[in-house]
Amino acid sequence: MRRVLRDRDAGLYFSGVVVSGFGTTAMWLVAGVWVKTLTGSDGLAALTAFALWAPVLAGPVLGAVADRVRRRPLLVAVNGAMAALLPCLLLVGSADRVWLLFAVLLLYGTAGVLADAAGSALVPQVVDARLLGDFNGLRMAAGESMKLPAPLVGAVLFARFGGPSVALLDAATFALAAGVFALLRVREEPAREARSGGLAEGSRQLWRSPVLRPLLAGAAATMLLAGVNGALVYAVVDDVLGRPPAYAGLLYAVQGAGSVVGGLAAGPLLRRLPGRPVLAAAVAVFATGAGLRVLPYEAAAWAGSALIGAGLPVVLVTALTAVQRETPAAVLGRTAATASTLVLAPNALALALGAGLVTLVDVRVLLPVVGAAGLAVAALSAAGRPVRRPGRGVVPGPPGGTAGATGSGREAAGNLAE
C-alpha cells in the first residue's frame, strides 16, 4: 500500500476514485428511497437499480469510445459532466417529475461504464506494472469501505433535507474528482490501431487468450451465484435466523468488512501466485460462506457473510487485472468494458432469478446448492495444465487447451458488484 500511494500519480488517481465513490455510494442508496417516498411504488423504487445497471450491457460500445480518445481528458470530462448534470435533480419534488430522476440515473450508469473503461486503460500508464494487483485490490477495498459511511451520510441528508441534498453532495464529489484527475501527469496519444477491429475487437481479445477465457468464465459463474446468494439474504434473516428484516443491515456491514480484507489481500496474492489458483481459492471462500448461511446460528451467519465479502473482491480483481495484463493498450478500453459486461451482467440477472427462486424453493435448499455450485466452479477454475508462451514463462491454460493469440504485456483494475 505504501509503495502504491507514494507514487504521485497513483495516489492522485486513487484519491479521485475514492472521492467520487463516496458520493456515488450515497446516491445509489438514496435513489430508490427517493422514488419510493414520492410514488409509494416498490416496483418503481426497484427500477432505480435497473436504470443504473442497464448501461453495463453497452460496455463494448462505450469501451470503444474510451479507446478512440485520450483517457485522462475523458475522465475529467465525464466527471465534470456529471457534476453539472446532477443539480438538475433539484427539480424532482413530486411524483410527476420522477421521470427526470430515471433519465439522470441512466446517464449516471452510462458515465460510470465509460469512466471505468477509461480508467482501466489509464491505470497501466499510471501504476508500476508490478503493483497493478496491489493497486486494484486497494481500490476495491476503498470502494467497499465507502459502503459503511456513505449510506449513513446519504440517509441522514435525505431525512433532514431531502433527495436534492444528496444529489448536490454527489455533484460536489464528481467536481472534486474531475479536478484531481486533471492533475495527473500522463502522456498519451490515441493509438491509430484503436480505430481498427471495430466494437467486436474486445470480444476477440478475450476469446483468443488462453489466459483470459478461463478466468472470465470462472468470474462470471461466480457472480451469477453471488447474485442468487444476494437475493436470499432476507430469507436467511427471517427463515433461518428468525430475526427482523433490519438485521440484514448488520450482515451487509460484516460482508463489507470482509470485502475490505479481500481487496487488500488480492494484490499480495497475485504477486505470489498465478491467477487461476488465486481465483479458485477465492471462489471456494465465497462458496463456503454461502453454505454456512444455512446453519441456524448467528455466528455462522456472520462468518458466512465475512467469507462471502472476502472472496468476491479477489475474484473480480484477479479477472479484471488479468485483462489489463494481457491486452494491448490500443484496445484495452473496449476489452476491459466487454470483460466487465461479461462478468457483472450475470450478477444483475441472477438477482432477479434468486428473487423468483426463493418464492418457490426453501432457502435451506437453495443455499447448499449455491455453495456446492461454487465449489464446482472453484475446482474447474483450478483445473488445467500450464501453457508456455514466448517471453511469458508459464501461465495456466484451459483444460486440454493450447496457446492462442494474446495481447502484449499490459497490467491493471476492476469493479465489484454484489
Side-chain angles (χ1 to χ4, degrees):
M1 188 186 303
R2 287 193 300 271
R3 290 177 66 191
V4 169
L5 297 183
R6 271 203 304 262
D7 182 272
R8 176 190 179 275
D9 289 324
L12 280 173
Y13 183 86
F14 177 77
S15 300
V17 169
V18 170
V19 168
S20 179
F22 181 88
T24 294
T25 304
M27 187 65 201
W28 280 41
L29 167 74
V30 164
V33 179
W34 196 350
V35 170
K36 170 70 174 176
T37 302
L38 291 177
T39 67
S41 170
D42 291 328
L44 287 176
L47 279 178
T48 59
F50 175 76
L52 289 163
W53 269 97
V56 170
L57 300 176
V61 176
L62 297 172
V65 174
D67 281 337
R68 285 166 166 75
V69 298
R70 286 178 294 180
R71 280 74 177 245
R72 184 186 66 84
L74 179 60
L75 276 176
V76 174
V78 167
N79 281 270
M82 289 308 303
L85 179 65
L86 280 165
C88 294
L89 295 182
L90 295 174
L91 300 174
V92 181
S94 59
D96 61 349
R97 296 282 182 88
V98 164
W99 66 267
L100 178 59
L101 176 56
F102 279 103
V104 170
L105 291 178
L106 278 171
L107 292 173
Y108 200 121
T110 302
V113 175
L114 189 56
D116 280 347
S120 294
L122 184 65
V123 164
Q125 300 179 54
V126 173
V127 180
D128 188 310
R130 294 166 297 180
L131 299 177
L132 283 170
D134 296 87
F135 180 84
N136 293 335
L138 182 60
R139 189 173 97 165
M140 184 75 70
E144 291 302 297
S145 68
M146 290 298 101
K147 294 181 179 178
L148 302 177
L152 178 61
V153 172
V156 169
L157 282 176
F158 182 84
R160 180 68 180 86
F161 303 107
S165 64
V166 183
L168 290 177
L169 169 67
D170 200 11
T173 62
F174 272 117
L176 285 172
V180 170
F181 292 139
L183 296 175
L184 291 173
R185 297 171 181 167
V186 182
R187 286 194 164 196
E188 51 172 350
E189 295 293 336
R192 294 176 183 174
E193 58 266 39
R195 301 185 181 276
S196 65
L199 299 180
E201 184 58 28
S203 300
R204 282 193 286 268
Q205 289 289 328
L206 300 177
W207 178 251
R208 288 196 297 251
S209 172
V211 176
L212 298 181
R213 282 199 310 270
L215 287 176
L216 291 174
T222 304
M223 296 311 294
L224 179 72
L225 295 174
V228 174
N229 174 75
L232 304 180
V233 63
Y234 289 104
V236 170
V237 170
D238 185 15
D239 299 339
V240 178
L241 300 178
R243 287 285 194 165
Y247 192 82
L250 182 58
L251 296 184
Y252 278 128
V254 174
Q255 182 170 324
S259 294
V260 173
V261 174
L264 293 175
L269 286 172
L270 290 173
R271 273 189 277 112
R272 291 166 173 80
L273 296 168
R276 290 278 287 275
V278 173
L279 184 133
V283 176
V285 168
F286 158 76
T288 302
L292 279 176
R293 282 183 160 180
V294 77
L295 300 177
Y297 307 108
E298 291 189 24
W302 284 38
S305 295
L307 290 174
I308 290 167
L312 291 179
V314 180
V315 170
L316 292 175
V317 170
T318 300
L320 298 180
T321 298
V323 171
Q324 293 167 315
R325 287 176 170 164
E326 298 294 322
T327 306
V331 294
L332 182 50
R334 77 194 82 168
T335 305
T338 301
S340 293
T341 298
L342 293 174
V343 171
L344 298 180
N347 183 266
L349 297 175
L351 285 169
L353 174 64
L357 285 174
V358 77
T359 64
L360 302 173
V361 185
D362 193 291
V363 68
R364 298 173 186 85
V365 175
L366 289 173
L367 285 170
V369 171
V370 170
L375 292 176
V377 172
L380 290 172
S381 297
R385 64 172 181 259
V387 174
R388 187 176 296 275
R389 286 160 46 215
R392 289 279 194 162
V394 177
V395 295
T402 58
T406 60
S408 62
R410 308 293 305 177
E411 333 214 359
N415 208 343
L416 173 65
E418 296 177 7

Short mmCIF file of all heavy atoms in Angstrom, two decimals, residues 63-100:
data_model
loop_
_atom_site.label_atom_id
_atom_site.label_comp_id
_atom_site.label_asym_id
_atom_site.label_seq_id
_atom_site.Cartn_x
_atom_site.Cartn_y
_atom_site.Cartn_z
N GLY A 63 -16.72 1.22 -24.28
CA GLY A 63 -15.28 0.97 -24.22
C GLY A 63 -14.58 1.38 -25.49
O GLY A 63 -13.43 1.86 -25.46
N ALA A 64 -15.24 1.21 -26.63
CA ALA A 64 -14.65 1.64 -27.90
C ALA A 64 -14.46 3.15 -27.93
O ALA A 64 -13.49 3.66 -28.50
CB ALA A 64 -15.53 1.19 -29.07
N VAL A 65 -15.38 3.88 -27.32
CA VAL A 65 -15.22 5.34 -27.22
C VAL A 65 -13.96 5.67 -26.43
O VAL A 65 -13.17 6.55 -26.81
CB VAL A 65 -16.46 5.97 -26.54
CG1 VAL A 65 -16.24 7.46 -26.30
CG2 VAL A 65 -17.71 5.76 -27.40
N ALA A 66 -13.76 4.96 -25.32
CA ALA A 66 -12.58 5.21 -24.49
C ALA A 66 -11.28 4.89 -25.21
O ALA A 66 -10.22 5.44 -24.88
CB ALA A 66 -12.67 4.39 -23.19
N ASP A 67 -11.32 3.99 -26.21
CA ASP A 67 -10.12 3.65 -26.97
C ASP A 67 -9.78 4.69 -28.03
O ASP A 67 -8.66 4.71 -28.53
CB ASP A 67 -10.31 2.29 -27.66
CG ASP A 67 -10.10 1.13 -26.69
OD1 ASP A 67 -9.43 1.33 -25.67
OD2 ASP A 67 -10.62 0.04 -26.98
N ARG A 68 -10.72 5.51 -28.41
CA ARG A 68 -10.51 6.43 -29.53
C ARG A 68 -10.10 7.83 -29.09
O ARG A 68 -9.89 8.69 -29.94
CB ARG A 68 -11.79 6.49 -30.38
CG ARG A 68 -11.98 5.25 -31.24
CD ARG A 68 -13.37 5.16 -31.81
NE ARG A 68 -13.46 4.18 -32.89
CZ ARG A 68 -13.48 2.87 -32.72
NH1 ARG A 68 -13.41 2.37 -31.50
NH2 ARG A 68 -13.55 2.05 -33.75
N VAL A 69 -10.02 8.07 -27.80
CA VAL A 69 -9.62 9.38 -27.30
C VAL A 69 -8.60 9.19 -26.19
O VAL A 69 -8.38 8.08 -25.71
CB VAL A 69 -10.84 10.17 -26.76
CG1 VAL A 69 -11.85 10.43 -27.86
CG2 VAL A 69 -11.50 9.43 -25.60
N ARG A 70 -8.00 10.28 -25.76
CA ARG A 70 -7.10 10.21 -24.62
C ARG A 70 -7.91 10.00 -23.35
O ARG A 70 -8.91 10.66 -23.12
CB ARG A 70 -6.25 11.47 -24.54
CG ARG A 70 -5.16 11.51 -25.61
CD ARG A 70 -4.35 12.78 -25.55
NE ARG A 70 -5.17 13.94 -25.88
CZ ARG A 70 -4.69 15.19 -25.91
NH1 ARG A 70 -3.43 15.42 -25.61
NH2 ARG A 70 -5.48 16.19 -26.22
N ARG A 71 -7.45 9.08 -22.50
CA ARG A 71 -8.27 8.64 -21.38
C ARG A 71 -8.33 9.65 -20.24
O ARG A 71 -9.38 9.81 -19.60
CB ARG A 71 -7.73 7.30 -20.85
CG ARG A 71 -8.15 6.05 -21.66
CD ARG A 71 -7.41 5.92 -22.97
NE ARG A 71 -7.74 4.71 -23.71
CZ ARG A 71 -6.86 3.75 -23.96
NH1 ARG A 71 -5.62 3.85 -23.54
NH2 ARG A 71 -7.23 2.70 -24.68
N ARG A 72 -7.23 10.35 -19.94
CA ARG A 72 -7.28 11.31 -18.82
C ARG A 72 -8.26 12.44 -19.09
O ARG A 72 -9.11 12.74 -18.24
CB ARG A 72 -5.88 11.87 -18.54
CG ARG A 72 -5.85 12.81 -17.32
CD ARG A 72 -4.49 13.46 -17.18
NE ARG A 72 -4.20 14.36 -18.29
CZ ARG A 72 -4.61 15.62 -18.35
NH1 ARG A 72 -5.33 16.14 -17.37
NH2 ARG A 72 -4.30 16.36 -19.39
N PRO A 73 -8.21 13.12 -20.27
CA PRO A 73 -9.23 14.14 -20.53
C PRO A 73 -10.66 13.57 -20.52
O PRO A 73 -11.59 14.27 -20.11
CB PRO A 73 -8.86 14.66 -21.92
CG PRO A 73 -7.40 14.36 -22.07
CD PRO A 73 -7.19 13.08 -21.34
N LEU A 74 -10.81 12.32 -20.95
CA LEU A 74 -12.14 11.72 -20.92
C LEU A 74 -12.64 11.57 -19.49
O LEU A 74 -13.81 11.86 -19.18
CB LEU A 74 -12.11 10.36 -21.62
CG LEU A 74 -13.45 9.60 -21.65
CD1 LEU A 74 -14.52 10.41 -22.38
CD2 LEU A 74 -13.26 8.23 -22.31
N LEU A 75 -11.77 11.13 -18.59
CA LEU A 75 -12.15 11.01 -17.18
C LEU A 75 -12.55 12.37 -16.61
O LEU A 75 -13.54 12.49 -15.88
CB LEU A 75 -11.00 10.42 -16.36
CG LEU A 75 -10.87 8.91 -16.33
CD1 LEU A 75 -9.61 8.52 -15.56
CD2 LEU A 75 -12.09 8.27 -15.71
N VAL A 76 -11.77 13.38 -16.92
CA VAL A 76 -12.08 14.73 -16.44
C VAL A 76 -13.44 15.17 -16.98
O VAL A 76 -14.29 15.70 -16.24
CB VAL A 76 -10.98 15.72 -16.85
CG1 VAL A 76 -11.37 17.15 -16.48
CG2 VAL A 76 -9.65 15.35 -16.18
N ALA A 77 -13.66 14.95 -18.27
CA ALA A 77 -14.91 15.39 -18.90
C ALA A 77 -16.12 14.66 -18.34
O ALA A 77 -17.17 15.27 -18.07
CB ALA A 77 -14.82 15.19 -20.41
N VAL A 78 -16.00 13.34 -18.14
CA VAL A 78 -17.13 12.56 -17.64
C VAL A 78 -17.50 13.00 -16.23
O VAL A 78 -18.68 13.20 -15.90
CB VAL A 78 -16.80 11.05 -17.67
CG1 VAL A 78 -17.82 10.25 -16.87
CG2 VAL A 78 -16.77 10.56 -19.11
N ASN A 79 -16.49 13.16 -15.37
CA ASN A 79 -16.77 13.58 -14.00
C ASN A 79 -17.31 15.01 -13.96
O ASN A 79 -18.23 15.31 -13.19
CB ASN A 79 -15.51 13.46 -13.14
CG ASN A 79 -15.24 12.03 -12.72
OD1 ASN A 79 -15.72 11.59 -11.68
ND2 ASN A 79 -14.48 11.31 -13.52
N GLY A 80 -16.76 15.88 -14.81
CA GLY A 80 -17.27 17.25 -14.87
C GLY A 80 -18.70 17.31 -15.37
O GLY A 80 -19.53 18.09 -14.86
N ALA A 81 -19.02 16.46 -16.37
CA ALA A 81 -20.38 16.44 -16.90
C ALA A 81 -21.38 15.98 -15.84
O ALA A 81 -22.49 16.53 -15.73
CB ALA A 81 -20.44 15.53 -18.13
N MET A 82 -21.01 14.98 -15.06
CA MET A 82 -21.92 14.52 -14.01
C MET A 82 -22.08 15.56 -12.92
O MET A 82 -23.18 15.73 -12.35
CB MET A 82 -21.40 13.21 -13.41
CG MET A 82 -21.53 12.02 -14.33
SD MET A 82 -23.20 11.79 -15.00
CE MET A 82 -24.16 11.66 -13.49
N ALA A 83 -21.02 16.30 -12.62
CA ALA A 83 -21.13 17.39 -11.64
C ALA A 83 -22.10 18.45 -12.11
O ALA A 83 -22.84 19.05 -11.32
CB ALA A 83 -19.75 18.00 -11.38
N ALA A 84 -22.14 18.70 -13.43
CA ALA A 84 -23.07 19.69 -13.98
C ALA A 84 -24.48 19.14 -14.10
O ALA A 84 -25.46 19.90 -14.00
CB ALA A 84 -22.56 20.15 -15.35
N LEU A 85 -24.62 17.82 -14.31
CA LEU A 85 -25.94 17.23 -14.55
C LEU A 85 -26.74 17.00 -13.27
O LEU A 85 -27.96 17.22 -13.25
CB LEU A 85 -25.75 15.90 -15.28
CG LEU A 85 -27.03 15.10 -15.60
CD1 LEU A 85 -27.90 15.87 -16.58
CD2 LEU A 85 -26.66 13.72 -16.15
N LEU A 86 -26.09 16.57 -12.21
CA LEU A 86 -26.81 16.17 -11.00
C LEU A 86 -27.65 17.29 -10.38
O LEU A 86 -28.73 17.00 -9.83
CB LEU A 86 -25.83 15.60 -9.98
CG LEU A 86 -25.43 14.14 -10.25
CD1 LEU A 86 -24.21 13.76 -9.45
CD2 LEU A 86 -26.60 13.22 -9.92
N PRO A 87 -27.24 18.55 -10.42
CA PRO A 87 -28.12 19.59 -9.88
C PRO A 87 -29.50 19.68 -10.55
O PRO A 87 -30.42 20.27 -9.98
CB PRO A 87 -27.31 20.88 -10.10
CG PRO A 87 -25.89 20.43 -10.05
CD PRO A 87 -25.90 19.10 -10.73
N CYS A 88 -29.65 19.08 -11.74
CA CYS A 88 -30.98 19.03 -12.36
C CYS A 88 -31.99 18.32 -11.47
O CYS A 88 -33.21 18.56 -11.57
CB CYS A 88 -30.91 18.30 -13.71
SG CYS A 88 -29.96 19.16 -14.97
N LEU A 89 -31.50 17.45 -10.57
CA LEU A 89 -32.41 16.71 -9.70
C LEU A 89 -33.05 17.60 -8.64
O LEU A 89 -33.95 17.15 -7.93
CB LEU A 89 -31.66 15.55 -9.03
CG LEU A 89 -31.16 14.46 -10.00
CD1 LEU A 89 -30.47 13.35 -9.23
CD2 LEU A 89 -32.31 13.90 -10.82
N LEU A 90 -32.62 18.84 -8.53
CA LEU A 90 -33.30 19.79 -7.65
C LEU A 90 -34.75 20.01 -8.10
O LEU A 90 -35.59 20.46 -7.31
CB LEU A 90 -32.55 21.12 -7.61
CG LEU A 90 -31.15 21.10 -7.00
CD1 LEU A 90 -30.48 22.45 -7.17
CD2 LEU A 90 -31.21 20.74 -5.52
N LEU A 91 -35.02 19.69 -9.36
CA LEU A 91 -36.37 19.87 -9.90
C LEU A 91 -37.30 18.71 -9.55
O LEU A 91 -38.51 18.80 -9.79
CB LEU A 91 -36.31 20.02 -11.43
CG LEU A 91 -35.48 21.18 -11.97
CD1 LEU A 91 -35.39 21.11 -13.49
CD2 LEU A 91 -36.09 22.51 -11.53
N VAL A 92 -36.74 17.63 -9.02
CA VAL A 92 -37.56 16.45 -8.70
C VAL A 92 -38.15 16.62 -7.30
O VAL A 92 -37.50 16.32 -6.30
CB VAL A 92 -36.73 15.15 -8.78
CG1 VAL A 92 -37.60 13.94 -8.46
CG2 VAL A 92 -36.10 15.01 -10.16
N GLY A 93 -39.40 17.11 -7.27
CA GLY A 93 -40.04 17.32 -5.97
C GLY A 93 -41.40 16.67 -5.86
O GLY A 93 -42.05 16.76 -4.81
N SER A 94 -41.84 15.98 -6.90
CA SER A 94 -43.15 15.34 -6.88
C SER A 94 -43.12 14.11 -7.79
O SER A 94 -42.18 13.92 -8.58
CB SER A 94 -44.24 16.31 -7.35
OG SER A 94 -43.97 16.76 -8.66
N ALA A 95 -44.17 13.29 -7.69
CA ALA A 95 -44.20 12.04 -8.44
C ALA A 95 -44.16 12.26 -9.95
O ALA A 95 -43.61 11.43 -10.68
CB ALA A 95 -45.45 11.24 -8.06
N ASP A 96 -44.73 13.37 -10.43
CA ASP A 96 -44.75 13.58 -11.88
C ASP A 96 -43.40 14.01 -12.43
O ASP A 96 -43.24 14.14 -13.64
CB ASP A 96 -45.83 14.60 -12.25
CG ASP A 96 -45.60 15.96 -11.62
OD1 ASP A 96 -44.72 16.07 -10.74
OD2 ASP A 96 -46.29 16.92 -12.01
N ARG A 97 -42.41 14.23 -11.55
CA ARG A 97 -41.05 14.57 -12.01
C ARG A 97 -40.08 13.39 -11.87
O ARG A 97 -38.88 13.55 -12.12
CB ARG A 97 -40.51 15.76 -11.21
CG ARG A 97 -41.30 17.05 -11.39
CD ARG A 97 -40.92 17.73 -12.70
NE ARG A 97 -41.62 18.97 -12.89
CZ ARG A 97 -41.19 20.16 -12.44
NH1 ARG A 97 -40.05 20.23 -11.77
NH2 ARG A 97 -41.89 21.24 -12.66
N VAL A 98 -40.59 12.23 -11.45
CA VAL A 98 -39.70 11.09 -11.23
C VAL A 98 -39.02 10.65 -12.52
O VAL A 98 -37.90 10.12 -12.50
CB VAL A 98 -40.51 9.93 -10.60
CG1 VAL A 98 -39.76 8.60 -10.71
CG2 VAL A 98 -40.78 10.22 -9.14
N TRP A 99 -39.67 10.90 -13.67
CA TRP A 99 -39.05 10.53 -14.96
C TRP A 99 -37.69 11.19 -15.12
O TRP A 99 -36.77 10.60 -15.72
CB TRP A 99 -39.96 10.93 -16.12
CG TRP A 99 -40.12 12.42 -16.27
CD1 TRP A 99 -41.09 13.20 -15.72
CD2 TRP A 99 -39.26 13.30 -17.00
NE1 TRP A 99 -40.90 14.51 -16.05
CE2 TRP A 99 -39.79 14.61 -16.85
CE3 TRP A 99 -38.12 13.12 -17.77
CZ2 TRP A 99 -39.19 15.72 -17.44
CZ3 TRP A 99 -37.53 14.23 -18.35
CH2 TRP A 99 -38.06 15.52 -18.19
N LEU A 100 -37.55 12.41 -14.57
CA LEU A 100 -36.27 13.11 -14.68
C LEU A 100 -35.19 12.38 -13.88
O LEU A 100 -34.04 12.26 -14.33
CB LEU A 100 -36.43 14.55 -14.19
CG LEU A 100 -35.17 15.41 -14.19
CD1 LEU A 100 -34.59 15.52 -15.59
CD2 LEU A 100 -35.49 16.80 -13.63
#
